[in-house]
Amino acid sequence: MADALLQDAYSSDAHQSLPVPMMTHEQAEAWYGKIPDLLVAARQEAAFEGSAKIPLPIRLGKRIESSGLCPVEHLAGMRRAADEMESMFKERMEHARLKSEVYKEEILLYEEARTRRGAGDATVGSILGGRHVPRSSHEEAETQYWNTLSSYLLIAQGLEDPLLLKSASPSGQYAYSKLDANDVWKVTSPIAIREIRQDGEWDEAERDLEDHWRQHKITNVEREYVSNTEQLLSRGEIHEDGYWASCPFQAVYRVIKGPVHVLNHTIPTGHFFVWDYGEDGEPGRFITQASFGRADSRQYCDD
């Protein structure tokens, strides 16, 4: 993944080296930096079973954020990284489909990742084709690629050991989603991320998010909600129309081509919906209304 991310930085017979954004270098460095610890763990495990201190499956780790508009060069690198990962296990995935019950989790995760990948490709294809897209579209494409790579990393491990993903999270159709990532910004709206950064509230928001996910118990209903909304977004049936004013500042969606069905609710065109993840460890809940009022500010735990 890191090699693919930095491909443009190195010259070859096919092309000359090109400038690469600093965030791309930092992201590749973060991935390269995981290799020594993984090698140590592998050798410890080979010597004495159960001795490695790194838990499986391996997760993608820290995501490097841009200070402004996510550069198109970085998005192109993320797309190459997704290509590289998929090429590694594509043939094995075809064989896994012949044993669908054994590799059920890997197949479901792959289908979800393909949807995210398609959403990112559509946006980046428009940008590279010379079309102007909103700043939020850059951030959404970056998020889609990140979630795709997170899933691909899990899939690659699950194809080696199908029991690995079965024990990684609670069983169920929606056992794996971006909710299972270690990233505290995993469901935060790209619009909220941009405004938090612009308003100088990044550190305060990150502390709140860390506290929130430390207390919150993710459920399969929430995984189903995330999966449903991503499918509806990819089909253009809903779009983000703002975000929830309290942590984790998740997207509020408006139905464009309704009615749509989410968590056994039928939501007509023009209506809004959101999943409220609760506060202080309280269970989440689904909310849908004809409209939502706009908040004057974001609500943090100390407010």
Side-chain angles (χ1 to χ4, degrees):
M1 288 191 300
D3 286 350
L5 196 65
L6 288 178
Q7 177 179 300
D8 284 347
Y10 303 102
S11 60
S12 67
D13 294 337
H15 65 83
Q16 294 182 336
S17 62
L18 299 171
V20 173
M22 182 56 66
M23 69 175 296
T24 306
H25 284 280
E26 291 175 355
Q27 187 64 71
E29 183 180 355
W31 288 343
Y32 286 134
K34 294 171 71 72
I35 294 174
D37 289 341
L38 293 174
L39 287 174
V40 169
R43 288 171 176 169
Q44 289 175 334
E45 191 69 14
F48 297 98
E49 184 177 356
S51 62
K53 297 180 175 62
I54 297 179
L56 295 176
I58 303 300
R59 306 285 181 169
L60 202 54
K62 182 180 180 181
R63 171 178 163 183
I64 304 300
E65 296 282 352
S66 60
S67 57
L69 182 71
C70 182
V72 65
E73 295 85 359
H74 185 73
L75 295 176
M78 296 280 276
R79 181 163 68 172
R80 287 194 302 270
D83 284 339
E84 189 68 23
M85 286 294 288
E86 189 163 359
S87 67
M88 287 176 59
F89 61 71
K90 185 175 181 180
E91 186 174 342
R92 294 198 63 184
M93 178 58 70
E94 293 174 358
H95 290 295
R97 292 185 186 280
L98 301 176
K99 301 179 180 179
S100 57
E101 287 305 313
V102 176
Y103 293 100
K104 178 181 178 181
E105 284 77 12
E106 289 76 12
I107 293 170
L108 290 173
L109 187 55
Y110 179 60
E111 294 303 326
E112 182 180 338
R114 285 177 64 197
T115 302
R116 295 175 178 168
R117 169 72 191 275
D121 286 350
T123 301
V124 174
S126 297
I127 298 171
L128 294 176
R131 289 178 56 190
H132 173 75
V133 300
R135 176 189 295 265
S136 60
S137 295
H138 281 252
E139 295 168 350
E140 179 64 22
E142 182 187 5
T143 298
Q144 296 291 2
Y145 280 135
W146 182 265
N147 291 333
T148 297
L149 289 171
S150 297
S151 297
Y152 279 1
L153 184 60
L154 290 174
I155 292 166
Q157 296 170 81
L159 290 173
E160 293 291 334
D161 180 1
L163 294 178
L164 198 59
L165 296 193
K166 286 181 170 61
S167 60
S169 295
S171 60
Q173 183 177 359
Y174 301 99
Y176 307 99
S177 75
K178 65 183 179 183
L179 287 170
D180 298 299
N182 292 327
D183 183 9
V184 296
W185 301 90
K186 52 194 169 189
V187 302
T188 304
S189 156
I191 299 174
I193 290 174
R194 182 174 68 251
E195 293 184 1
I196 288 169
R197 184 183 289 116
Q198 290 173 345
D199 293 343
E201 299 175 359
W202 187 269
D203 291 342
E204 183 178 10
E206 192 161 56
R207 286 194 298 270
D208 253 26
L209 288 164
E210 289 172 353
D211 289 341
H212 174 84
W213 292 118
R214 190 179 300 116
Q215 298 179 67
H216 186 78
K217 183 177 181 180
I218 296 166
T219 67
N220 278 342
V221 173
E222 291 171 346
R223 294 185 179 92
E224 180 178 356
Y225 172 79
V226 168
S227 178
N228 285 173
T229 54
E230 288 182 344
Q231 291 173 23
L232 293 170
L233 282 167
S234 69
R235 297 197 295 263
E237 296 179 43
I238 63 174
H239 79 83
E240 183 176 346
D241 196 88
Y243 59 90
W244 204 237
S246 57
C247 195
F249 313 112
Q250 62 277 23
V252 173
Y253 298 106
R254 182 173 183 264
V255 178
I256 302 302
K257 300 176 183 177
V260 300
H261 303 280
V262 182
L263 301 179
N264 296 320
H265 294 266
T266 300
I267 311 167
T269 299
H271 281 223
F272 299 76
F273 67 90
V274 66
W275 181 268
D276 177 7
Y277 287 90
E279 297 179 10
D280 301 324
E282 291 295 317
R285 62 190 178 119
F286 181 77
I287 305 173
T288 180
Q289 295 179 184
S291 64
F292 285 108
R294 298 280 177 175
D296 295 330
S297 61
R298 287 173 292 277
Q299 179 181 342
Y300 294 102
C301 290
D302 294 336
D303 294 346

